[in-house]
Each structure stands twice: as structure tokens, then as C-alpha cells.
Amino acid sequence: MPRHVPLDSIEHRTLGVETARSTALGDGVMLAQTFPGEFRDLQAHYPIVFHQDTQDRIQPLALFGLERGRNLFLVDGRWDAAYIPLAMERQPFLIGHSEAGPTIHIDLDSPRLRTHGGQPLFLEHGGWSPLLAKVQTVLQALHDGLATGPAFVSALTTHDLLEPFTLQVRLDNGRSLTLDGLLTIAEDRVRSLAPDVAGPLHAAGHLEAIHMAMASMSRLRDLIDRTNRADALGR
């Protein structure tokens, strides 16, 4: 169970963070939340899909695997892609809020934390470590980016540009795999957008993100290949 508290330079001065990547360190997830401004970096590595929750809220997601709890980008203690999504990069930190504005919180139950060892959060004689300075940048970018998500999703739903998505695969070892319950961009509807609709979408910056999400679906082939390799290696 996560235990989020405000980061404190005195109380947490000896804490360190393990920066390797593994399922044991909390990276064993098949997807992570993302936002339109991140799509350009994501689309070269991960399919970008969408999920609608029980309260009808729709969120864009970066897909790391085809099965729950299986991240196909974890290889020998590292993340096997040139770009790690900010929602994963931030761990075990998150943005909190105070009267003075946004603050850095930390999950004290994260398996990444070390009482002694790991990458330090604070310098020996005071001040933030390079790791913590990077964390602040990541958290701010994530906070600002996620704030743009609702307007983007609203544009998609207003113009009916999302459709259900199901992937059925027969793997090399004969195992059948089905991925469903997700949404993707309805490419045919995007291509048939009238100029008076496409223009405002472009002006708002939505059209570029739409095309990045469409292009990202070519990475599904890579996820299938990674699944075959992982199955063959028993990972």
C-alpha cells in the first residue's frame, strides 16, 4: 500500500533511491499514463492507447506489454528503450500540494528506497542531489502535461475519433493471447475530417498528437516480437 509523505531534507536526509529497472522495483506494469505532449517521444517505442474507466474518464496510456503485470522493456536490470515515460521515470516520487503550491512527495513503501545506499537525495552538506533536481524537472513536466489531457480527450470524444480495440495473437509457442478493453484513434474518421474541423484541431495542437498516436500503433509488432522472445527465454 503506497505511503505518500512530503519529502523532508532532515527526516529523509539518509534515504537513497535504487535506479535499476526490474519487476521487483515496481516496474512490472503493462502500461502507464501519458499525455499529448509526450506522444512524440513515445511513438517510436510504445503503442499509445486509451482507456475508459468506470466513471467514463478516458486517459491516454503507453503500452509496455500485452499482459497484465508484464513489462517487456525490462531487460537485465535496465529499461530497453531510449525513452522512459515520465510516469515511470518519476518513481518513487509524486507531486503533492500545499498552501505554497506543488511539493515533492515520496512513497515510503516503494521498493526503490534504501535507508542507506542507492542514489542519494540530498548532498552530504545540504542541498539537493543531481537525482533530486532531475526528479523535480520530471514531476513538473508530468504535472503540466497531464493537465492538458482532458482538453485533448474532449476533442477526441467530441468528434468521435476513438474506437474499441482488440488484439488477438497466436504466439510462436502456440499460446493464444487477447488484448481488449482499450480504445485507439479511429484512423478512417481522422482521414475524413472536414477542413473546418481539422483546422481547429490543428490550431489547438491536437492533430499532431492524434497522428503521433496513430503512428505509434506500428509498435504493436514489436510488442508481439518481444513477447515471443520473453516466452522463449522464460522471462
Side-chain angles (χ1 to χ4, degrees), residues 44-46 72-75 78-85 222 226:
H45 307 286
Y46 318 100
L72 298 167
F73 291 87
L74 301 179
V75 179
R78 63 184 178 86
W79 192 289
D80 187 33
Y83 180 81
I84 301 177
D222 178 55
R226 286 174 180 268

Side-chain angles (χ1 to χ4, degrees), residues 162-231:
L162 291 173
E163 62 185 4
F165 166 72
T166 298
L167 175 70
Q168 293 181 314
V169 178
R170 173 78 67 172
L171 298 173
D172 290 348
N173 60 8
R175 188 164 68 94
S176 295
L177 189 153
T178 300
L179 177 68
D180 56 13
L182 298 172
L183 304 168
T184 58
I185 300 292
E187 297 189 15
D188 289 344
R189 295 174 205 160
V190 172
R191 295 189 184 98
S192 63
L193 285 173
D196 62 336
V197 174
L201 287 173
H202 173 70
H206 299 324
L207 202 56
E208 177 179 315
I210 287 170
H211 283 286
M212 291 292 131
M214 289 166 56
S216 78
M217 296 305 287
S218 66
R219 303 310 300 168
L220 280 172
R221 179 69 256 175
D222 178 55
L223 289 189
I224 295 169
D225 291 343
R226 286 174 180 268
T227 302
N228 280 321
R229 292 197 297 270
D231 277 9

Side-chain angles (χ1 to χ4, degrees), residues 110-193:
S110 170
R112 291 193 173 278
L113 290 188
R114 302 289 181 265
T115 304
H116 296 282
Q119 295 293 316
L121 301 183
F122 300 98
L123 300 176
E124 184 178 356
H125 300 294
W128 286 8
S129 70
L131 173 66
L132 195 51
K134 178 183 178 182
V135 163
Q136 184 190 39
T137 300
V138 167
L139 288 176
Q140 189 63 58
L142 185 60
H143 178 265
D144 294 344
L146 292 177
T148 69
F152 177 66
V153 168
S154 177
L156 295 179
T157 56
T158 295
H159 300 293
D160 194 26
L161 297 180
L162 291 173
E163 62 185 4
F165 166 72
T166 298
L167 175 70
Q168 293 181 314
V169 178
R170 173 78 67 172
L171 298 173
D172 290 348
N173 60 8
R175 188 164 68 94
S176 295
L177 189 153
T178 300
L179 177 68
D180 56 13
L182 298 172
L183 304 168
T184 58
I185 300 292
E187 297 189 15
D188 289 344
R189 295 174 205 160
V190 172
R191 295 189 184 98
S192 63
L193 285 173

Side-chain angles (χ1 to χ4, degrees), residues 6 94-105 143:
L94 64 157
I95 286 187
H97 299 278
S98 69
E99 293 182 0
T103 59
I104 298 178
H105 282 212
H143 178 265

